[in-house]
Amino acid sequence: RAFTLGRNGELRAWRLSDGTPLWRRNLTEDGGAEPMWGHAASPLVSGELLFMQGGQAIHSVAYRTADGAIAWKNAGGKGSYTSPVLAPLAGRDTLVIMHGMALAAYVPASGARLWEVPWETSIAEYITTPVVSGSLVLVSTAFGKGTLAVEAGPSGAKVKWRNTALQAEQSDPLAYGGHLYGYTGFGKQNKGDFACLDLSDGRLLWKTNAIGCGTLIRVDGHLLCLDNKGNLFLVKPDPAGLRLVAEFRGALPSVQEQ
């Protein structure tokens, strides 16, 4: 099966072999609320369940992959644009969701809430996916809010650190080798910085505007960064400073003038 979510909350299951529709749900019809720019989270599938966040009556929700029936749901406040994450925390599989007003963790099988840490911006616009590194769960956003690091334990979670050194707007930060790397600031007109923070305490170790503002992934011990002008950079992670291994200017020439 393949699963898709449209910006209007249309959730569908398809037979992967030939594209035959199998079932449909709609987050608004199920009691959710569409964010200002539409739903943007990616469905998360694990075993027989598909996890989503939809806001309001389906603040967090699990659908059965076989037929789309609701397995469990929790009511709450505003949703956000971020995707759910499954990770081992405190010795058990944990569902982590960044809602519009808080970072929360749930038991995947039942939806029981394990903990919740408030983290709200003035416009409740969360876009980036939570990052899990060991027992730490991190979320980052722009609009002057910054990054929150929460340490999860058997009896709940507590704030490890928070600061405004990294303010990720739409690009997910990446944890590697005890450090957090990511673009900070607004990506419009390719303005912003690339920063490195110490995961243990959130200290800003360095930042640079030499590789634009865009997105990054980890590839074979390197960071592959694509800026908003279509330039590609290969970076070796290093807490001492930017180590630019190679660059390909104009890798995507169609966006050069945007």
Side-chain angles (χ1 to χ4, degrees):
R1 289 183 172 90
F3 303 92
T4 59
L5 178 72
R7 61 155 292 150
N8 65 346
E10 191 73 6
L11 179 64
R12 299 204 177 195
W14 314 82
R15 183 181 294 132
L16 190 58
S17 61
D18 59 9
T20 299
L22 299 176
W23 54 260
R24 68 168 290 275
R25 302 290 302 216
N26 186 280
L27 301 187
T28 302
E29 294 173 5
D30 287 342
E34 183 178 328
M36 179 185 297
W37 304 107
H39 291 283
S42 297
L44 174 64
V45 176
S46 178
E48 299 178 351
L49 296 178
L50 181 152
F51 304 102
M52 280 300 306
Q53 62 155 315
Q56 304 306 329
I58 52 169
H59 202 226
S60 54
V61 59
Y63 295 95
R64 300 196 185 281
T65 57
D67 56 10
I70 293 178
W72 56 258
K73 62 180 179 179
N74 293 308
K78 297 177 181 178
S80 75
Y81 305 99
T82 71
S83 300
V85 173
L86 267 177
L89 289 169
R92 58 188 167 195
D93 287 340
T94 304
L95 176 67
V96 178
I97 298 178
M98 181 64 226
H99 297 295
M101 296 180 290
L103 176 66
Y106 303 89
V107 177
S110 66
R113 191 170 69 188
L114 298 170
W115 49 261
E116 183 175 276
V117 178
W119 189 245
E120 185 177 5
T121 68
S122 57
I123 60 174
E125 187 166 305
Y126 289 98
I127 301 173
T128 63
T129 303
V131 175
V132 178
S133 179
S135 61
L136 288 182
V137 183
L138 304 101
V139 288
S140 186
T141 190
F143 312 103
K145 191 69 174 179
T147 300
L148 169 74
V150 169
E151 187 163 25
S155 59
K158 61 181 180 180
V159 175
K160 177 82 170 179
W161 55 262
R162 63 181 80 188
N163 63 37
T164 57
L166 177 63
Q167 299 183 44
E169 184 196 11
Q170 298 184 30
S171 172
D172 296 343
L174 192 150
Y176 183 81
H179 302 92
L180 186 69
Y181 298 89
Y183 282 104
T184 178
F186 293 96
K188 189 176 181 181
Q189 299 178 344
N190 211 34
K191 294 180 179 178
D193 292 311
F194 190 84
C196 173
L197 276 62
D198 190 317
L199 271 179
S200 66
D201 56 13
R203 283 182 301 120
L204 175 65
L205 300 179
W206 56 265
K207 68 177 180 179
T208 178
N209 61 3
I211 56 174
C213 193
T215 60
L216 72 153
I217 59 172
R218 193 176 89 185
V219 180
D220 293 334
H222 291 75
L223 306 178
L224 190 61
C225 306
L226 180 69
D227 76 8
N228 291 336
K229 293 292 185 180
N231 302 309
L232 196 62
F233 305 93
L234 185 65
V235 175
K236 182 67 176 177
D238 190 336
L242 176 68
R243 288 180 60 189
L244 185 59
V245 177
E247 60 182 285
F248 182 5
R249 296 279 175 176
L252 296 178
S254 61
V255 300
Q256 280 291 292
E257 301 304 320
Q258 295 184 18

